Structures are given as C-alpha cells and as structure tokens.
Amino acid sequence: MLLTIINLSACDDQKKRNGQVVARINGEEITAPQLAAELRYASRLQDDSAAPPQALREQAVEALVDRQLLLDEALRNKIDRDPALIQIIERFKTQAIVQAYLESKAGNPEQPGKVEIDSYFQAHPELFSHRKMFEVEQLVIADQDFSSALKAMMDTSKSLDQVAAWLRQHGIGHVQRRYSYSSADLPAGVGNRLQTLGRNRLFVMKDGERDLLCALTELRDSPVTADAAAPQIERYLMNKKMQEIAVAEITRLRSAAKLEYIEKPVEKPASGTDGKGLPAPAVSPGRQQTVSRKGVEMSGATAGINNQ
C-alpha cells in the first residue's frame, strides 16, 4: 500500500524526464532512478540469505511493472479521488518526511562494532544460545467467556480435549489451533515457568481481549549461533539509536513549543512510541512478530502459577 501511494503521489511528468528507461508499460516509462529506489527499499527488507544482485534487479523491475499496471487501473477507476485514500496518502507523506528529517539529524551514525554486538549476544541467552521452542495446543475464547466454572473444570481436566468438549457442551465459541512460541516471543519469566510446568499441563495465557486455554505438547532446544544473530543484533542496535534520536528531538521540540490541547487526551503515550510518523520501536533481535505483543501473560488459575 505504501509503495503504491508513494508511486501515486510522485506520478507527474517531472519524474521521468531524466534517467535511462528500463521498461515501458502501455507507453508509461519506468526509469533507472525508479529502479534504484526500488532496490534501496528492497534491501531494507532482505533477510540474511539475499538473492544474487541480478535476480534482485529482475524482481524489482517486475515489481515496478506490476505496480504501474495496478496504478494505471486505479487511476482509470478514479480511486485516487477517494477522500479516505487521500488521508492515507497524507499520513504516509508525513511519515516519510519525518523519517527523512530524523535521518538527517542522525547523520551517519557509527555502525555497532563486534564488541557491542557480542556483548548483546552474551547478555541475552534466552534470545540466542539458550533459546527454546514451545509447541502449544490452544483453545482460543473471548475473555468474557472465561468463568469460574471453566477455571474449576480446567483444574480437574487431564487434557485439552476434555476442555473442548466442555466448551461445546456449554455453547461457548472457540477456535482450536497449534502454535509455536520461542523463548524470545514470550515475556520475561513466562518461558521459565513453562519449562517448570512441563508437558501436557493446562494453563491460560491472556492475549488482549482473548483467553488462550493451553497445553504444552513439546519443548525443545533451538539455539541461535553468534554468527547468525550478528546481523539481527546490528539492525536492532541501529534502530534503537534512531529511536533514541527521535525521543530526544521530540523532547527538545516539545519543550520549546506552545502546546494547547482543545480536548485533553485521556492517556498520552510516551514520546516516540505512538507510531505517528515516528520510527517503529526497535524490536529485540530474535523476537518474532507473529505473536501479539498486547500483554500475553500466564494465569495461575489452572496450573498453580502466580499471576504476573
């Protein structure tokens, strides 16, 4: 969506007056500067096993062609006149300008050295050298459906199948699934408590407005070597520096600004963390985005575990 919007907002005659043409679609030209920009963006998203440069170039050209075809069709259907889309374009435009400003303030920050990367690796064994994988069977229910009767039933159940049968009997909607967590995915302390709990014991995890009725089915070691972790750690440390620059700059600007709230916010997020045009908060290397970070916690209601 962002790439389409950027392309849309830059769609004027000026953008193609200079530069070598690499492709034409229905008379519309794609130039070498556009391709270079696409490759720069793609390089930020590459994993550690990047494809050869020629393959990346070919993929980028095809991506530009596909996007231009979609853009032309969208313009033909006057999608660009949708007020909601115009607001989205303005938001991403603001984000891009703010990001460019913060990068200008950062200049050319020094890349983390080997000592700094190794120090982070050694300080977080749960993310790397001692990482564990937990295979968990789950029944997902709405938070309001977790009652004292269900809690008591889980305390005496021997398996999650018994719990599922009880839910069906009482007409409680649920989804059954299997999920894999690494010790890096879980809040501090929860992984250790899962290891203590052992296999096939029932427990509850809170995930926002959902309750996850769980049974640990498998636990195994899944270490990450220092060499494999180094690129992740380097990216994390660089992102963390950018976030610190953002917070410092916002603090400076707020102190000099005349700020007046017409309607006072109920709860103001910490500067640099609300995502409104700021760099995304740095996520620790080794942590995956597949797990909701909206307060996953373990409940002691069913397994003798104290609440967080």
Side-chain angles (χ1 to χ4, degrees):
M1 182 67 162
L2 173 59
L3 291 175
T4 302
I5 290 166
I6 289 174
N7 202 0
L8 176 62
S9 64
C11 186
D12 56 38
D13 294 337
Q14 293 288 330
K15 72 175 183 178
K16 294 169 184 173
R17 289 182 180 175
N18 299 311
Q20 178 184 356
V21 175
V22 297
R24 289 189 180 90
I25 314 104
N26 298 326
E28 192 76 14
E29 296 178 347
I30 293 177
T31 65
Q34 287 178 278
L35 177 58
E38 182 78 5
L39 288 170
R40 283 195 300 272
Y41 181 83
S43 68
R44 299 181 182 182
L45 307 180
Q46 288 172 11
D47 56 27
D48 299 329
S49 57
Q54 183 58 35
L56 291 174
R57 178 185 173 86
E58 292 173 359
Q59 292 170 11
V61 170
E62 294 305 319
L64 286 167
V65 168
D66 292 343
R67 196 156 62 247
Q68 187 63 51
L69 288 169
L70 290 170
L71 176 61
D72 290 343
E73 188 66 11
L75 293 175
R76 190 180 69 81
N77 287 276
K78 298 182 173 57
I79 300 299
D80 57 315
R81 301 182 187 180
D82 184 344
L85 178 60
I86 292 172
Q87 289 183 348
I88 293 173
I89 292 172
E90 285 301 313
R91 183 176 186 275
F92 279 117
K93 178 181 176 181
T94 299
Q95 286 181 311
I97 294 172
V98 168
Q99 181 70 28
Y101 171 72
L102 291 174
E103 289 176 356
S104 73
K105 297 294 291 184
N108 294 311
E110 184 179 350
Q111 296 286 330
K114 188 176 186 304
V115 172
E116 188 178 3
I117 293 173
D118 288 346
S119 176
Y120 190 93
F121 180 87
Q122 296 297 333
H124 296 86
E126 76 284 0
L127 302 180
F128 306 113
S129 57
H130 295 167
R131 192 178 75 155
K132 305 283 186 183
M133 290 299 299
F134 304 92
E135 301 294 335
V136 179
E137 188 176 354
Q138 297 177 338
L139 299 171
V140 184
I141 65 171
D143 183 59
Q144 65 267 22
D145 289 334
F146 189 79
S147 62
S148 57
L150 176 55
K151 181 198 306 182
M153 188 272 166
M154 288 189 69
D155 285 336
T156 58
S157 294
K158 301 297 183 182
S159 71
L160 210 59
D161 288 339
Q162 292 180 359
V163 179
W166 189 92
L167 293 175
R168 288 192 295 271
Q169 180 183 354
H170 289 79
I172 297 176
H174 62 281
V175 175
Q176 189 162 1
R177 68 180 188 182
R178 294 183 180 273
Y179 216 101
S180 296
Y181 298 94
S182 78
S183 52
D185 296 327
L186 299 170
V190 172
N192 290 335
R193 286 190 284 167
L194 275 177
Q195 294 180 60
T196 303
L197 183 63
R199 292 179 176 83
N200 298 319
R201 291 287 301 279
L202 303 184
F203 61 94
V204 180
M205 295 178 69
K206 303 285 290 183
D207 184 7
E209 298 180 356
R210 305 183 303 174
D211 284 357
L212 314 179
L213 315 182
C214 306
L216 178 65
T217 58
E218 184 180 353
L219 170 64
R220 65 180 185 274
D221 293 329
S222 182
V224 178
T225 66
D227 288 342
Q232 302 175 44
I233 296 174
E234 182 179 17
R235 286 193 295 268
Y236 164 75
L237 294 175
M238 288 298 295
N239 289 339
K240 187 169 180 288
K241 288 179 182 179
M242 282 298 300
Q243 190 67 25
E244 290 169 352
I245 291 170
V247 171
E249 186 64 7
I250 289 171
T251 301
R252 182 186 72 82
L253 293 172
R254 277 180 171 268
S255 66
K258 183 179 179 181
L259 179 60
E260 179 183 1
Y261 289 104
I262 306 305
E263 184 177 343
K264 187 70 175 178
V266 176
E267 182 179 351
K268 176 185 156 311
S271 296
T273 62
D274 61 3
K276 296 177 181 177
L278 301 173
V283 178
S284 298
R287 297 197 183 279
Q288 300 177 4
Q289 297 298 316
T290 54
V291 178
S292 169
R293 308 309 301 168
K294 194 176 178 182
V296 179
E297 61 183 29
M298 293 182 66
S299 167
T302 61
I305 303 171
N306 294 327
N307 290 328
Q308 284 187 312

